[in-house]
Amino acid sequence: MRNLVTKFFALFILMFPSNARATENTLSRLEEIHRIVLDPEEVFSASETLAELDELGAILSEEERESKAHGELAYLRGFIFSRTGEAEQSVLQTQEALRIDGINRFLTTRERSYALYNLAGQAEEIEEWTIAIEAFQQAIPLFDQDPDLDEGGKIGLRERLGFTLHEAGRYEKALDVNKEALERGIAFGGKDNAKLNNTLTNLAQNAYELGDLETARLYLDRRLSIALKNSDDDNVDDSLFQLGVLSFEQGQTQEARQFMEQRVSLAEKTGDDMLISDAKEDLRILLEKLSK
């Protein structure tokens, strides 16, 4: 009788592999897909890979939600959804992957930092500012320790964080982050570095929202000066426009007109039909407002 029972269970195991074995085999395949999709030399079909991930996910036990296999499944879905333009799904899956990684590590430090970066970017796409802010805040210390990311990239991350803070209405915090980005940008590329333009624009917007129009003006003046030194027509044009609008709001109508007229004059020198047309139209609108 004992031998019959033993044979029965041996047959049962052969016919129905244990959950542990199924999870182990599934994890092995997920890790292979992970290698493929992250290898820039590899080519894969997003739709076919997502279909296979669905099949592999059906094998996994729902009772093991913190397993590495579940983590890999969510991570890969999040990565692929970001490539197919499905930002909302990418955010949900990447959040789940990072949650599991926090309990049961399966990502390398670099993969974790880029997963956070990807999460932030996808959250920006759907204007989930709180998610984006938290992801950037977690990613920045990791990227700061990455020897392959230069200072320009680290400054760019801070600009992105400042932008998301501004969009969330957290203007004072955004101002602090952008000030740090400006200081690092000057140390990295010099005080007339053209790459400071974005940071200066962000700082002007932060100050404007905080009601500090004089400080906003100083940042815009500095932006204009740098743009002129670097013959950056687009930033010269936009700086003069922003200064004209700010002057008008401050009741300095003559100065506003001077900025808009200067903008037309400089636009005409570039020969850029679009810049010329926009500058002339904005001057016309201003003059119409001043005549009332």
Side-chain angles (χ1 to χ4, degrees):
M1 182 67 174
R2 185 176 181 181
N3 287 338
L4 286 174
V5 172
T6 302
K7 288 180 180 179
F8 171 79
F9 279 110
L11 179 61
F12 182 86
I13 291 171
L14 286 173
M15 292 174 63
F16 303 98
S18 68
N19 286 338
R21 173 59 66 84
T23 299
E24 182 181 336
N25 291 341
T26 302
L27 176 60
S28 178
R29 176 55 184 158
L30 288 167
E31 289 174 337
E32 175 62 13
I33 296 172
H34 183 136
R35 183 194 65 76
I36 292 171
V37 301
L38 264 68
D39 186 343
E41 301 298 320
E42 293 278 3
V43 177
F44 67 94
S45 164
S47 59
E48 290 177 7
T49 305
L50 286 171
E52 182 177 0
L53 291 177
D54 287 343
E55 293 174 2
L56 294 170
I59 298 171
L60 298 177
S61 169
E62 286 298 315
E63 296 176 358
E64 300 176 350
R65 295 299 304 174
E66 279 73 44
S67 70
K68 291 183 178 181
H70 274 291
E72 283 283 6
L73 183 67
Y75 174 75
L76 292 168
R77 281 172 169 162
F79 180 87
I80 296 172
F81 280 135
S82 72
R83 297 302 186 271
T84 58
E86 298 173 80
E88 187 171 350
Q89 286 299 317
S90 179
V91 165
L92 292 172
Q93 293 295 324
T94 306
Q95 283 182 309
E96 176 66 1
L98 289 165
R99 182 190 71 81
I100 295 171
D101 184 62
I103 298 168
N104 192 2
R105 292 293 192 198
F106 68 94
L107 296 172
T108 65
T109 300
R110 177 164 291 182
E111 287 171 344
R112 191 172 306 113
S113 61
Y114 277 97
L116 286 163
Y117 178 78
N118 179 63
L119 173 60
Q122 295 301 297
E124 282 182 300
E125 288 288 325
I126 56 176
E127 299 185 356
E128 288 286 355
W129 305 118
T130 299
I131 296 172
I133 289 165
E134 291 175 355
F136 276 129
Q137 287 174 330
Q138 293 177 54
I140 285 173
L142 297 177
F143 278 111
D144 281 348
Q145 298 170 21
D146 188 338
D148 291 332
L149 184 67
D150 67 13
E151 179 65 6
K154 294 170 184 176
I155 293 167
L157 282 171
R158 285 165 171 81
E159 288 180 346
R160 293 278 296 278
L161 173 58
F163 171 77
T164 54
L165 285 164
H166 183 90
E167 292 300 306
R170 296 170 60 181
Y171 306 122
E172 289 186 5
K173 182 62 178 175
L175 188 70
D176 290 339
V177 170
N178 284 318
K179 281 181 178 179
E180 181 190 355
L182 181 64
E183 291 172 2
R184 294 179 71 138
I186 292 170
F188 178 61
K191 64 182 179 63
D192 294 326
N193 174 14
K195 293 183 179 179
L196 297 177
N197 283 321
N198 286 340
T199 309
L200 289 166
T201 301
N202 293 340
L203 283 163
Q205 292 174 347
N206 300 154
Y208 178 85
E209 292 295 342
L210 289 168
D212 189 352
L213 302 189
E214 288 304 319
T215 298
R217 167 68 178 268
L218 291 174
Y219 285 128
L220 289 174
D221 281 338
R222 190 168 176 184
R223 179 194 182 201
L224 175 60
S225 174
I226 292 173
L228 286 168
K229 288 178 181 178
N230 288 280
S231 301
D232 185 343
D233 295 334
D234 288 334
N235 274 305
V236 167
D237 178 81
D238 189 61
S239 296
L240 288 168
F241 172 76
Q242 297 293 342
L243 284 164
V245 171
L246 191 60
S247 295
F248 179 78
E249 289 191 12
Q250 291 178 297
Q252 299 171 1
T253 56
Q254 184 59 34
E255 185 179 57
R257 178 171 180 166
Q258 289 173 352
F259 279 127
M260 291 300 190
E261 288 176 340
Q262 183 183 1
R263 182 181 175 217
V264 171
S265 176
L266 291 176
E268 288 176 336
K269 290 179 181 178
T270 69
D272 186 317
D273 291 338
M274 184 64 72
L275 285 182
I276 296 168
S277 175
D278 288 346
K280 286 184 175 181
E281 176 61 14
D282 290 332
L283 175 60
R284 184 194 66 76
I285 292 171
L286 175 64
L287 293 175
E288 184 178 303
K289 288 182 178 181
L290 294 179
S291 66
K292 293 179 180 180

